[in-house]
Amino acid sequence: MPILGLSPSSKPNHPPHFNIEKVIRPNILSLHPYRCARDDYKQGILLDANENAFGHSITRSFSGEEGVIADLQTTLDLDLHRYPDPSHADIKQRIASLRNVPGAEYVFLGVGSDEVIDLLMRVCVVPGGGEKILTTPPTYGMYAVCAQVNDVGVVKVPLEGRFSVRVDEVKKAIDADPNIKLIFLCSPGNPTGTLISLKSIKALLDYEKFSGIVVVDEAYIDFANENTSTVSLVEEYANLCVMQTVSKSFGLAAIRLGIAIAQPPLIQILTNTKAPYNISTPTAHLARAALTPTAVTSMRAKVSTLVQSRAALLQKLASLAPLGLGSAIGGNDANFILMPVLTKDGSGEPDSERAQRVYKALAEENGVVVRYRGGEVGCQGCLRITVGTEEENEVALSKMGEVLRVI
């Protein structure tokens, strides 16, 4: 069954054992996507979408609120009374150029990566628990949440050692359960900060017994070394979907823009299934600005500073070892560090109960908020600490030392 909206391609499929039409749910393949007004016409006297022709209702000035309105001027100049562009081809093209893929047809935009995760499950995995996804804990919690919401089963293959993917164990899980449709890999991992090698990912993409899609979540990829992104494999592998975001390296978490990069058939399926106007005009406006050459250069400079700060923070946190803070675990390839809090008796064992007390004391009594991760597989006693500004890092180090002395 052809994918609606997708032009036929003469390009040979790779890997040969993968057929996207056998992965996507039949009712999704036959879906005629909702056609919104702006799919047809974008200019002219627009009387087709029941919009307010008089424009938005935010006035240019309010008594006593001039400062607020001044901050809104650029946004107020947008056509907020019109529904947004449903395709955002210009943003997709900028992302395609930035990530070195052929064109906008390789890019999908979602309301954060969470919408992409949810859509992938909805289009690929039949609800009821018979069909499943595979995750590699400890990992991003939304994979399991979305699976539960969609009534989808979860097979878990825990990471090992310094949180590396056990490819052989993943293959065994696939052999044991042919109903696995999606594999979710987080690289660099959250909360582990560990980068997954392209060799490991290719081993799963090439595995003939897995007919589903490998999804690689690269929310933190800009903090890792160059030439480590799985996007470099997208043109070759039809069974690969890479997720990225503007929340982390671009510092735009508030605008909720997630990205999927994959071959056109899967991108078209996601496009056919998404809500009509999922990306708002203000979000698109800010994203477009963030993807200009000047802004991308600024992003990379800030990422470089954060990577240097990460190394400095690791070094300084090591000085708290006598107070029971263990060495960082994981790969340290993201903008955070995973540190185990140890027992106070000097045994060197991670102590989740103490870590939780440290976490609460930092937040409630010292104004320093880190993330407790002691309940995750392989993360006993761990706190996840985001790399902040130099001033924030210094305060966090000082307060951490004070709290560890008394708890």
Side-chain angles (χ1 to χ4, degrees), residues 53-365:
F54 289 94
H56 59 74
S57 59
I58 306 172
T59 59
R60 296 286 174 173
S61 63
F62 287 108
S63 177
E65 297 184 12
E66 288 81 0
V68 174
I69 297 302
D71 289 341
L72 288 174
Q73 288 305 322
T74 302
T75 303
L76 293 178
D77 288 336
L78 302 173
D79 290 330
L80 299 181
H81 61 303
R82 300 295 185 190
Y83 284 112
D85 178 357
S87 62
H88 299 293
D90 56 338
I91 296 175
K92 293 175 182 178
Q93 185 56 56
R94 292 184 189 207
I95 292 169
S97 298
L98 177 67
R99 300 310 188 191
N100 295 313
V101 292
E105 68 274 16
Y106 281 73
V107 180
F108 174 83
L109 304 178
V111 183
S113 296
D114 295 334
E115 184 185 18
V116 179
I117 294 167
D118 181 65
L119 271 178
L120 285 167
M121 290 191 199
R122 285 199 280 139
V123 304
C124 294
V125 192
V126 176
E131 295 190 344
K132 302 165 187 174
I133 67 167
L134 184 147
T135 65
T136 57
T139 192
Y140 183 44
M142 279 304 294
Y143 309 144
V145 171
C146 280
Q148 185 168 350
V149 168
N150 286 289
D151 195 17
V152 165
V154 181
V155 174
K156 299 178 181 180
V157 180
L159 302 173
E160 67 173 356
R162 288 181 62 83
F163 300 119
S164 58
V165 172
R166 298 185 293 167
V167 174
D168 289 342
E169 292 302 313
V170 173
K171 288 181 177 179
K172 286 180 183 177
I174 291 166
D175 293 345
D177 195 336
N179 292 315
I180 295 171
K181 301 290 288 293
L182 299 171
I183 296 174
F184 281 93
L185 303 175
C186 202
S187 178
N190 177 12
T192 66
T194 300
L195 191 71
I196 301 173
S197 71
L198 295 182
K199 179 181 178 181
S200 294
I201 293 169
K202 287 184 73 172
L204 295 175
L205 291 168
D206 284 324
Y207 191 50
E208 293 183 0
K209 294 184 179 179
F210 179 58
S211 59
I213 295 170
V214 177
V215 184
V216 183
D217 188 343
E218 291 190 342
Y220 301 94
I221 193 63
D222 289 320
F223 299 101
N225 292 330
E226 291 185 15
N227 304 317
T228 55
S229 172
T230 318
V231 171
S232 63
L233 304 179
V234 164
E235 284 189 74
E236 181 180 2
Y237 288 95
N239 54 343
L240 172 64
C241 179
V242 181
M243 297 191 303
Q244 295 187 351
T245 179
V246 299
S247 293
K248 312 302 181 182
S249 58
F250 284 90
L252 287 172
I255 74 171
R256 308 306 300 130
L257 185 70
I259 300 160
I261 300 174
Q263 289 192 9
L266 181 57
I267 295 301
Q268 188 65 53
I269 289 287
L270 295 174
T271 302
N272 290 352
T273 314
K274 74 173 182 66
Y277 304 105
N278 62 331
I279 306 301
S280 74
T281 295
T283 289
H285 179 66
L286 290 166
R288 196 176 297 110
L291 290 163
T292 60
T294 300
V296 170
T297 298
S298 174
M299 176 273 284
R300 286 174 172 154
K302 290 180 179 180
V303 165
S304 178
T305 299
L306 279 166
V307 169
Q308 293 173 32
S309 297
R310 181 180 68 196
L313 183 60
L314 274 167
Q315 225 173 16
K316 292 176 181 178
L317 283 168
S319 68
L320 300 180
L323 301 176
L325 189 66
S327 300
I329 61 175
N332 301 317
D333 286 311
N335 67 333
F336 56 81
I337 296 166
L338 192 63
M339 307 289 296
V341 175
L342 310 179
T343 56
K344 213 167 184 180
D345 61 12
S347 67
E349 294 297 316
D351 187 337
S352 291
E353 189 275 333
R354 186 184 181 209
Q356 199 158 40
R357 288 166 57 208
V358 169
Y359 156 70
K360 287 186 176 180
L362 282 171
E364 297 172 9
E365 300 167 26

